[in-house]
Every structure is written in structure tokens, then in C-alpha cells.
Amino acid sequence: HDDRPGGGLMKLGVSNLAWDRSVEDAAFSLLREYGASGVEVAPTKIAPWEALTPDVLEAYRQKCQSYGLEISSMQAILFNCPDAQLLGDEAGFASLCRQMETVGKVALGLKAGVAVFGAPNNRSKGTLGDADARALALSRMRLLGDIARDHDYVIGIESVPEYYKCDFLNRIADVAAFVRECGHSHVATHFDIACVTLGGDAPAPALEVMDRFVHYHIAEPDLAGFESPKCDHDGVASVLSDRGYAAWAVIEMRQAGPDGLEGLKTALEYATRTYAVTDPVRL
């Protein structure tokens, strides 16, 4: 689950947040046309949590497979789960553990290897000071790592800046240090160019000194589209290429317009022009 020097082209995926379910077939066709081979899944875009049965998950996975797509990863794993709290009381953490078990079942059903842990509202420090919050988070994240290991997925912790009303692990260096201290095989760093930029760091230099990360998001502030990108994608693309990064690079953006297809096409054109991803198929 790591980037390996000397690897080939990175694999391109897109989050299913980018399109409406009603145009899923057209979206999947666009992904293949531009050489994307993965779908990052926000599970509740498929069905509500309680309706994500093994049959529903297998049907979605097989549909992706019929288009030559695999499930790269998952995001929005704590959507509609306000009681699930990393740094809350025992009941709040128990709720989080139950949800991460649910996420694990979804991961197994979809064969998804990475779950992005962003969720600013689910990691609030509350009244805890910085040192106490970090100590508690380390012990609890190791337990969550055990759940992830048992369900064969890796938790990719995202640096979420204050811009998104987050008060814990805002900077990418903080996340990298936290992951190192956590020392769990199934807890890793996730690198989101927009979050890193909004956190006040230049993403390319930050990426150069990263010793390990599991996943990468091609994103813009507020999950905007790619008509006029603001982040230093060229700089990061160069570092990723130099490192031989051959894992997933996933476009993360909100649906724009009635169905999202125009914005999706623009994003795919930009990503394939900017990043060293697998060659477009152009069906």
C-alpha cells in the first residue's frame, strides 16, 4: 500500500461524488475513455448505510468491473454518523468503532483497499488540550487500525485544515508524524493537494519530504472543478513522477450542474494532461 521508487505510471481514479447516479453508465464510460481505471466510493452514494448489503455491494463492484474499473478506495466513511467520535467519550468512540466495522464490511464487499479518514466533525478535540488529544487519538487509532486490518483495508488519515472547521491534525507534517508514532500497519498518511494547500503548506515541497503515504487526491479547494485550478498540480505531479509513485491518484470533486458529466470530462482532461497516469484508452 505504499509508493515505491521506480514504479510505473500512477493509476487514475475518480470519486463517485462527481456525478449523479442517474448518469452512472455515462460517467463510467467517460472514465474508461480517458484511461481512468478506478472509482473511489462514497458508500452512501450507492445506498444508505443500512442498505449496503453484500448483494448490493457485489452488484456495484461487478458493474464497475464490466466497464474495466475497480474500486480504488472509499471516502465519506463517516457521513451521517455524528455520534461516531475519535476524541469523544467512551460512547462516542464505541460508535466510531461500530462504524469502522461497517466500513470494513463495505471494504470487503467492494474489494477496496484504502479508506480516507477526513471527517473534521468526527475528530474534534472538544475540551481536550493538544497533548491529551494526541495521546488519546494515538491509542484509539491503533484500535481502529486493528479493525481495518481485520477487514483488509488501510485507514488513510487526511490533513484537514482549519478552513474546513477542523481542529485536529490540520497540517500534513502533523499527520505524517502522528502516523509514524501510531506505528500501525493499517494506519497511513493520505495526501490531498487541496487540504495541504489550504493548511498553509506548499504541497510539492511537503510531498518531497514525505517518507510514506498510501493514497493521493487530485483536488481543489471546496471540492471545486478543474476549469481554472488553483493548486500546484504541476509541481506535485513532478514530485510524484520523480518518486515513481504507482498507486492511486483520485480526482475528488463535487458534482457540478444537473448531472456532473461536463465537469467530470474537464477534470479528466486536466488530470491526464498534468499527471503521469495510465495512457488514455480513447474507446
Side-chain angles (χ1 to χ4, degrees):
H1 297 291
D2 207 353
D3 59 309
R4 292 173 175 81
L9 297 169
M10 67 190 86
K11 298 180 289 185
L12 180 62
V14 186
S15 165
N16 69 343
L17 292 178
W19 58 81
D20 189 81
R21 277 300 300 274
S22 65
V23 294
E24 193 168 73
D25 290 280
F28 286 176
S29 294
L30 266 180
L31 264 61
R32 292 309 297 141
E33 179 184 347
Y34 282 90
S37 55
V39 178
E40 180 164 289
V41 169
T44 55
K45 282 275 288 196
I46 300 175
W49 288 112
E50 64 275 9
L52 290 168
T53 62
D55 286 348
V56 167
L57 295 170
E58 178 63 11
Y60 188 85
R61 192 186 68 79
Q62 287 198 7
K63 182 176 182 180
C64 288
Q65 195 171 43
S66 73
Y67 282 88
L69 300 164
E70 59 183 303
I71 310 300
S72 63
S73 41
M74 297 178 297
Q75 68 171 125
I77 59 173
L78 302 181
F79 181 72
N80 264 352
C81 301
D83 295 335
Q85 292 292 326
L86 177 64
L87 296 170
D89 59 17
E90 290 300 325
F93 182 60
S95 177
L96 178 57
C97 288
R98 288 192 297 273
Q99 177 60 16
M100 295 304 274
E101 293 266 3
T102 297
V103 169
K105 292 171 185 172
V106 175
L108 287 172
L110 295 175
K111 293 183 168 55
V114 175
V116 176
F117 192 106
N121 295 330
N122 301 85
R123 65 205 237 186
S124 172
K125 290 187 298 190
T127 59
L128 293 173
D130 290 346
D132 288 341
R134 183 183 174 84
L136 182 61
L138 282 167
S139 64
R140 287 180 166 180
M141 190 56 71
R142 290 177 186 123
L143 296 173
L144 297 181
D146 289 346
I147 293 172
R149 182 189 60 214
D150 292 345
H151 293 83
D152 201 25
Y153 72 98
V154 174
I155 299 168
I157 302 178
E158 183 172 68
S159 61
V160 181
E162 293 178 8
Y163 178 87
Y164 291 131
K165 297 179 170 56
C166 184
D167 66 3
F168 185 63
L169 297 178
N170 303 122
R171 307 284 288 268
I172 191 64
D174 297 336
V175 172
F178 179 87
V179 166
R180 276 195 299 273
E181 190 172 349
C182 184
H184 198 291
S185 60
H186 284 66
V187 177
T189 303
H190 161 69
F191 197 101
D192 181 299
I193 184 174
C195 284
V196 172
T197 302
L198 290 168
D201 295 303
L207 190 61
E208 282 177 353
V209 298
M210 293 286 295
D211 54 358
R212 179 174 186 263
F213 61 101
V214 72
H215 195 59
Y216 175 67
H217 269 169
I218 303 170
E220 282 288 293
D222 298 308
L223 301 188
F226 289 83
E227 291 76 15
S228 54
K230 297 176 174 61
C231 294
D232 180 22
H233 294 278
D234 288 325
V236 168
S238 177
V239 175
L240 289 171
S241 182
D242 288 346
R243 290 182 67 138
Y245 180 73
W248 288 103
V250 170
I251 296 169
E252 183 193 29
M253 60 184 287
R254 282 182 289 106
Q255 177 186 322
D259 58 27
L261 290 178
E262 279 303 312
L264 175 60
K265 185 175 180 181
T266 299
L268 286 163
E269 287 175 348
Y270 181 79
T272 53
R273 190 169 67 243
T274 307
Y275 289 87
V277 295
T278 46
D279 294 326
V281 177
R282 299 293 182 194
L283 298 173

